[in-house]
Amino acid sequence: MSYSLKRIRKPIEEDLKVFESYFRDNMKSSSNVPLLDRIMYYIVKRKGKQVRPIVVFLSASVIKGTNDSTFIAASLVELLHTATLVHDDVVDDANYRRGFFSIKALWKNKIAVLVGDYLLSQGLLLAIKNKEFKILEIVSNAVKEISEGELLQLEKARKLDIEEDVYYKIIKGKTASLIAAACAAGAASATDDEETIEKMRLFGEKIGISFQIRDDLFDYGTDDVGKPLGIDIKEKKMTLPLIYALSQADKRTQSKIVRLVKRNNGDKKKINQVIDFVIESGGLEYAESAMLKFRAEAFEILDEFQDSESKEALIELVNYIVERKK
């Protein structure tokens, strides 16, 4: 079956239309800084699929329905997400984002860092001004977890000694925490029940982990996704298929593969050797099995909520994440 964001958006289409202008207004500078306004305009015009705001609105809708707090939650999550992307491009020295020049490429590092800080502060101020302290707590915790995940990955990348439990700790912080926060913030906008909010947070964490494992699999050419084959290996990132393959190998083979990853220098021959090793060791099957397990666990959580059009859209969103082609 083909899954589409258009169908997923359908139950909350009107909310998303209103959200576009609401979010744009919350990005504007109140201090008349023309440079900042130009950069904000550039960011808004090149927005992505807005998966996280979609998740916020659907999470609220599954529980009770959207309201003013849901718009604040969606804006806070999207402001944070945008800030992390701007900062990531500085950290990764990336000149492109979604096929366009990054803020860092156009305006250089100093301005990019300040723009990321501005976006983060706008989100925090929006929550404080509207006294949305629970939503602020949820999103602030995600910021902390993202930073911890990134730093843990950088620390471990030096030795390439990441084991599976450490891998999950990294991706729970780096990738899953923001999707989990989007689900929890959406829930918190619709209910004060802590148990319900935690269920939605856990649901988001499961689909966030599935999302990252799917991304890991793309590195081995499992689909025609436009992502350069072996880019994670080239960048010395330890993905789940590689971690599993190494765990099945003897010490000598482990040392050989780790050396290839550390010293590949973009050499296609070395990268292909690593890819072949992972495929032959069953790394892809193992990672796909783990991804499907997390999807099943996400569905188990969702089963506890009443059937609705929004719940069906969330189910489709999970399948879209797991079966996406890019």
Side-chain angles (χ1 to χ4, degrees):
M1 180 179 176
S2 175
Y3 301 101
S4 76
L5 275 178
K6 187 176 180 181
R7 281 203 306 272
I8 293 165
R9 292 167 58 107
K10 190 180 174 187
I12 51 166
E13 196 63 58
E14 291 306 312
D15 284 328
L16 289 171
K17 284 178 185 174
V18 175
F19 172 73
E20 289 216 5
S21 59
Y22 184 88
F23 179 66
R24 194 164 53 243
D25 289 344
N26 280 295
M27 288 183 77
K28 287 179 183 175
S29 165
S30 58
S31 305
N32 190 26
V33 181
L35 173 61
L36 191 53
D37 288 334
R38 279 203 306 277
I39 296 171
M40 292 303 108
Y41 179 80
Y42 182 81
I43 290 172
V44 168
K45 282 293 180 183
R46 285 150 189 82
K47 67 181 183 297
K49 297 170 184 173
Q50 292 190 303
V51 169
R52 287 152 194 85
I54 290 170
V55 167
V56 172
F57 284 109
L58 286 176
S59 296
S61 297
V62 159
I63 294 164
K64 194 175 182 181
T66 61
N67 53 51
D68 290 346
S69 292
T70 315
F71 283 87
I72 294 164
S75 295
L76 184 50
V77 167
E78 191 67 351
L79 283 163
L80 165 62
H81 179 230
T82 309
T84 61
L85 295 182
V86 173
H87 281 163
D88 279 352
D89 289 338
V90 175
V91 172
D92 298 337
D93 196 25
N95 289 322
Y96 294 93
R97 168 67 62 182
R98 298 175 184 139
F100 296 96
F101 282 118
S102 63
I103 304 302
K104 171 255 176 198
L106 291 174
W107 285 281
K108 307 306 176 189
N109 284 344
K110 187 181 287 187
I111 288 175
V113 170
L114 292 169
V115 166
D117 292 347
Y118 169 81
L119 290 165
L120 181 55
S121 64
Q122 281 289 89
L124 301 177
L125 285 169
L126 176 66
I128 291 168
K129 185 172 71 176
N130 289 280
K131 296 182 171 55
E132 295 287 359
F133 299 117
K134 180 61 182 178
I135 292 169
L136 178 58
E137 180 191 356
I138 290 166
V139 177
S140 297
N141 194 54
V143 177
K144 178 180 78 75
E145 289 178 353
I146 290 168
S147 302
E148 288 172 348
E150 289 280 6
L151 287 166
L152 181 58
Q153 183 178 55
L154 287 169
E155 179 189 3
K156 291 293 182 180
R158 294 173 185 173
K159 293 183 180 178
L160 294 181
D161 62 347
I162 298 176
E163 294 182 353
E164 201 168 317
D165 61 333
V166 177
Y167 165 84
Y168 282 119
K169 193 173 180 181
I170 289 170
I171 67 168
K172 277 180 183 179
K174 270 191 65 181
T175 306
S177 63
L178 191 53
I179 297 177
C183 290
S189 75
T191 182
D192 294 327
D193 183 62
E194 291 288 347
E195 188 179 339
T196 301
I197 295 168
E198 175 56 20
K199 277 182 189 174
M200 287 307 298
R201 188 204 66 78
L202 196 56
F203 166 76
E205 184 175 273
K206 302 287 186 188
I207 63 174
I209 293 170
S210 298
F211 181 95
Q212 183 58 58
I213 297 174
R214 165 54 69 196
D215 208 53
D216 287 357
L217 287 165
F218 287 155
D219 204 45
Y220 296 88
T222 53
D223 288 288
D224 180 16
V225 296
K227 176 182 177 181
L229 191 67
I231 192 71
D232 289 335
I233 297 166
K234 183 180 176 182
E235 294 176 357
K236 301 173 179 57
K237 291 178 182 175
M238 292 291 279
T239 58
L240 186 58
L242 178 55
I243 291 166
Y244 174 79
L246 285 170
S247 75
Q248 301 304 298
D250 57 57
K251 292 289 183 185
R252 186 178 175 184
T253 305
Q254 285 177 359
S255 298
K256 177 190 169 186
I257 296 299
V258 168
R259 275 199 308 274
L260 282 172
V261 175
K262 278 185 176 179
R263 302 171 188 173
N264 72 73
N265 295 320
D267 185 326
K268 284 186 179 180
K269 188 177 177 182
K270 290 180 180 177
I271 290 169
N272 285 333
Q273 278 183 264
V274 177
I275 290 171
D276 290 344
F277 162 73
V278 170
I279 292 170
E280 289 163 11
S281 302
L284 303 190
E285 290 86 351
Y286 180 81
E288 185 163 353
S289 175
M291 177 181 70
L292 295 176
K293 177 178 80 75
F294 283 107
R295 177 175 70 172
E297 289 172 0
F299 284 156
E300 281 179 24
I301 294 168
L302 212 50
D303 280 345
E304 298 179 38
F305 293 91
Q306 192 173 348
D307 289 346
S308 65
E309 194 180 7
S310 293
K311 179 179 170 179
E312 286 302 312
L314 274 178
I315 291 169
E316 183 156 358
L317 178 65
V318 176
N319 287 322
Y320 172 83
I321 283 170
V322 168
E323 299 180 28
R324 67 196 167 97
K325 302 299 180 186
K326 61 182 177 178

